């Protein structure tokens, strides 16, 4: 009878440990999805342009030869303004937003774009170049939008981003996902806002992640995935030996009960 109770206890311990590990690895635990559910997205705001950003500019117009001087990647030839003076040429590697929040465009010179969304910047630039082009169309994108992911993920990396809508789940997917030993309840987001650095804890097991104001990432964000205790246990000599000691102790106890 005692042997049966001991065996049952050991089996229950293994099952409970397995169940706990399984639950801890589930993302968005408790999310309502049966039947099909839908939620309005209210936490996305387009990124705004900051000093130090590098912008790609694409301009199209009915006079194609004229629009080419504004496009990033265009040959760096000089253009002349209305007064005949030489004007800055378009940079092949993008327009740098200077400390005053401006970019230097051919013909029109300084254009204020800081604190504008990409769509707003495109509209502003269009208004500035319209006197020189016929029915111009302008699109603007960020060339230096990057997010760093490090810690307990499959492939830590600095990720280059081409889409302004880039989320935490996008970043973790690009990094190869979390490892089984990662702490899913304490992911650290580091973000610079108005010259200050903010530290935000993210719980990826919570369905409220999708409602978080930090779900969508900004340029230069950093995600640090903390390793869980299981990883320490797998790398610690003490914890490597401990299961063996427990197994030996259990075997001695069972043997003692059988021979008693």
């Amino acid at each position: 009878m005692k042997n049966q109770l001991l065996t049952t206890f050991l089996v229950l311990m293994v099952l409970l440990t397995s169940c706990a590990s399984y639950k801890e690895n589930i993302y968005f635990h408790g999310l309502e999805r049966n039947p099909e559910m839908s939620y309005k997205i209210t936490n996305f705001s387009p990124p705004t342009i900051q000093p130090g950003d590098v912008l790609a500019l694409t301009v199209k117009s009915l006079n194609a030869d004229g629009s080419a001087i504004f496009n990033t990647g265009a040959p760096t030839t000089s253009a002349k303004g209305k007064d005949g003076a030489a004007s800055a040429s378009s940079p092949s590697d993008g327009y740098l937003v200077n400390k005053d929040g401006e970019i230097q465009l051919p013909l029109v010179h300084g254009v204020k774009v800081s604190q504008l969304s990409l769509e707003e910047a495109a509209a502003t630039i269009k208004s500035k170049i319209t006197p020189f082009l016929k029915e111009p169309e302008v699109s603007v994108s960020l060339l230096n939008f990057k997010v760093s992911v490090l810690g307990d993920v499959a492939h830590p990396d600095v990720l280059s981003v081409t889409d302004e809508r880039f989320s935490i789940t996008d970043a973790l997917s690009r990094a190869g996902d979390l490892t089984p030993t990662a702490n899913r309840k304490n992911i650290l987001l580091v973000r610079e806002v108005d010259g200050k650095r903010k530290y935000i804890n993210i719980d990826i097991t919570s369905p409220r992640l999708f409602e978080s104001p930090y779900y969508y990432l900004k340029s230069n964000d950093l995600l640090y995935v903390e390793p869980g205790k299981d990883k320490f246990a797998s790398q610690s000599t003490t914890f490597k030996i401990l299961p063996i000691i427990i197994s030996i102790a259990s075997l001695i106890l069972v043997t003692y009960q059988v021979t008693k």
Side-chain angles (χ1 to χ4, degrees), residues 50-53 96-104 112 114-115:
Q50 305 295 325
D53 282 342
L96 175 66
V97 182
N98 64 25
K99 59 183 177 62
D100 297 319
E102 296 181 342
I103 58 172
Q104 296 297 317
K112 183 83 169 182
S114 66
Q115 304 306 320

Side-chain angles (χ1 to χ4, degrees), residues 18-186:
S18 300
C19 289
S21 299
Y22 172 72
K23 288 181 179 179
E24 289 173 358
N25 280 280
I26 296 177
Y27 294 170
F28 329 128
H29 186 67
L31 180 67
E32 291 288 341
R33 54 185 175 180
N34 188 24
E36 181 178 325
M37 301 290 290
S38 62
Y39 301 90
K40 186 176 181 181
I41 296 174
T42 59
N43 58 340
F44 174 73
S45 58
T48 55
I49 298 169
Q50 305 295 325
D53 282 342
V54 181
L55 306 181
L57 189 61
T58 302
V59 179
K60 298 179 182 178
S61 69
L62 296 181
N63 45 335
D65 291 342
S67 61
I69 64 169
F70 296 101
N71 291 327
T72 48
T76 54
T77 54
S78 297
K80 292 186 177 180
K82 290 182 177 180
D83 58 359
S87 176
S89 58
S90 63
S92 59
D93 53 353
Y95 291 94
L96 175 66
V97 182
N98 64 25
K99 59 183 177 62
D100 297 319
E102 296 181 342
I103 58 172
Q104 296 297 317
L105 283 179
L107 304 178
V108 296
H109 303 293
V111 178
K112 183 83 169 182
V113 293
S114 66
Q115 304 306 320
L116 299 180
S117 68
L118 299 179
E119 186 176 344
E120 291 169 339
T124 298
I125 293 168
K126 179 179 178 178
S127 68
K128 296 292 186 180
I129 65 176
T130 294
F132 306 98
L133 299 173
K134 189 175 181 180
E135 299 181 19
E137 295 180 2
V138 179
S139 64
V140 180
S141 60
L142 278 171
L143 288 178
N144 63 332
F145 192 146
K146 66 180 187 299
V147 172
S148 299
V149 184
L150 67 157
D152 208 0
V153 294
H155 307 294
D157 203 354
V158 177
L159 309 175
S160 296
V161 180
T162 56
D163 188 352
E164 63 180 49
R165 188 186 288 256
F166 191 71
S167 67
I168 288 175
T169 48
D170 290 328
L172 295 178
S173 297
R174 287 270 300 273
D177 201 1
L178 307 182
T179 69
T181 57
N183 186 345
R184 285 152 171 75
K185 295 186 177 183
N186 194 28

